[in-house]
Amino acid sequence: MDPQRETPKKNNTEHLIADRREGIGVCGWILVSLSFLLVLVTFPISIWACIKVVREYERAVVFRLGRILSKKAKGPGLILILPCTDTFIKVDLRTVTCKIPPQEILTKDAVTTQVDGVVYYRIHSAVSAVANVTDVHSATFLLTQTTLRNVLGTQRLAQLLSGREEIAHSIQGILDSATEQWGIKVARVEIKDVRIPVAMQRAMAAEAEAAREARAKVVAAEGEMNASKALKQASMVLAGSPAGLQLRYLQTLTTLAAENNSTIVFPLPINMLESLGHKNRGE
């Protein structure tokens, strides 16, 4: 991704957060001081309400009087929360698996298909995920469905069946760019299944069978042509050597005799056949 494009996105995200982090004012500081004083007065009982545990795979976004306390989320480990003035939201940073239900898609060549898939993403900025979108998981899910339909609608059926990996990379790039300001990093996109109508499946099978038969006929014709050339050359060699023709005849008889069959072969000299042919011509 172009670094010059990443910089405006980060600036926009920081600007959105900065708008929420303006000063809390004099009244705000008075309330914070009173809350801190309450903690000191009720210590050590209040410590149980102030200390929170954040797991290794979680981060806590702390709000003080409704404003984000810092640009960076807190955790993992123990964090301190002031009662009455501070609230916090835990964000899970583990990879989320988003299953895309079958989507009815009309391809570029006017074929209706149903395509489903799966998207793997994770939250890399807890503050952006909380401050910039209401429900980051729902927004990512809906955006994934829309992007899948839009991208596949520009592809032909043959491209959809043969170029799944390239299409998945294209969808991943679009989602990663669109969800950057939400603090989302799309790790992987996979197209699971492409369903086409039964009539289209039969038509494609008939087309493939016809193509295979055509190729088989071409191969058979090429074989016949090569065999005829070889027989022509063999006949020219045997025509120049009558003894060779006789040896070939005897080899054929040996091959037939070696097999278990009921065929009876009566060898006749070639010269006798030739003399009979001359007599018939004379008559």
Side-chain angles (χ1 to χ4, degrees):
M1 188 178 293
D2 190 356
Q4 295 181 354
R5 294 182 179 179
E6 290 183 355
T7 302
K9 291 178 181 178
K10 291 181 180 179
N11 293 336
N12 292 336
T13 303
E14 292 177 358
H15 177 68
L16 291 172
I17 297 171
D19 291 343
R20 296 172 172 84
R21 294 183 60 255
E22 295 177 355
I24 59 177
V26 178
C27 294
W29 283 112
I30 293 174
L31 292 175
V32 171
S33 301
L34 292 176
S35 178
F36 188 74
L37 183 60
L38 178 63
V39 172
L40 294 178
V41 170
T42 58
F43 187 83
I45 298 175
S46 61
I47 197 67
W48 300 105
C50 296
I51 294 180
K52 304 296 180 181
V53 178
V54 179
R55 296 183 179 90
E56 181 67 29
Y57 55 85
E58 294 177 335
R59 296 296 182 270
V61 181
V62 180
F63 292 85
R64 177 160 293 170
L65 296 177
R67 299 182 181 276
I68 295 177
L69 189 58
S70 63
K71 292 183 179 180
K72 185 177 180 181
K74 296 183 180 296
L78 299 177
I79 62 173
L80 181 64
I81 301 295
L82 293 178
C84 304
T85 60
D86 292 358
T87 57
F88 70 98
I89 298 176
K90 288 184 179 180
V91 179
D92 196 328
L93 302 184
R94 292 177 293 183
T95 300
V96 179
T97 303
C98 177
K99 294 182 180 180
I100 307 174
Q103 303 293 309
E104 194 83 14
I105 297 171
L106 183 65
T107 60
K108 190 176 181 180
D109 49 354
V111 178
T112 303
T113 61
Q114 285 189 348
V115 181
D116 58 353
V118 60
V119 177
Y120 301 93
Y121 68 91
R122 60 181 178 83
I123 297 176
H124 69 86
S125 176
V127 177
S128 299
V130 171
N132 295 343
V133 61
T134 304
D135 188 346
V136 65
H137 298 292
S138 177
T140 304
F141 177 70
L142 295 176
L143 181 62
T144 300
Q145 295 186 42
T146 305
T147 304
L148 180 67
R149 288 195 295 268
N150 292 340
V151 172
L152 297 184
T154 61
Q155 305 291 326
R156 297 183 181 275
L157 180 60
Q159 296 173 344
L160 179 58
L161 295 175
S162 61
R164 294 190 183 187
E165 186 174 354
E166 292 78 6
I167 296 174
H169 285 305
S170 176
I171 296 174
Q172 179 181 350
I174 295 174
L175 290 176
D176 204 13
S177 176
T179 58
E180 176 68 23
Q181 63 178 350
W182 299 343
I184 295 293
K185 174 63 179 177
V186 179
R188 191 177 183 86
V189 177
E190 291 291 343
I191 297 176
K192 293 174 57 178
D193 191 16
V194 179
R195 301 185 184 90
I196 58 178
V198 178
M200 180 60 65
Q201 294 180 14
R202 294 174 180 173
M204 294 175 65
E207 181 182 359
E209 184 178 359
R212 286 193 297 269
E213 290 179 355
R215 288 195 297 269
K217 290 180 179 179
V218 170
V219 172
E222 291 178 353
E224 291 292 338
M225 183 178 65
N226 295 332
S228 63
K229 291 180 180 180
L231 290 174
K232 179 181 178 182
Q233 294 177 359
S235 64
M236 293 174 63
V237 173
L238 293 175
S241 177
L245 181 61
Q246 188 67 25
L247 291 174
R248 178 60 181 166
Y249 177 69
L250 294 175
Q251 184 181 2
T252 303
L253 291 178
T254 302
T255 303
L256 292 174
E259 298 178 358
N260 296 325
N261 51 39
S262 60
T263 304
I264 300 175
V265 180
F266 295 95
L268 295 175
I270 300 298
N271 296 333
M272 183 183 294
L273 295 177
E274 291 180 353
S275 62
L276 291 174
H278 287 305
K279 289 181 180 181
N280 291 330
R281 291 177 184 175
E283 293 178 356

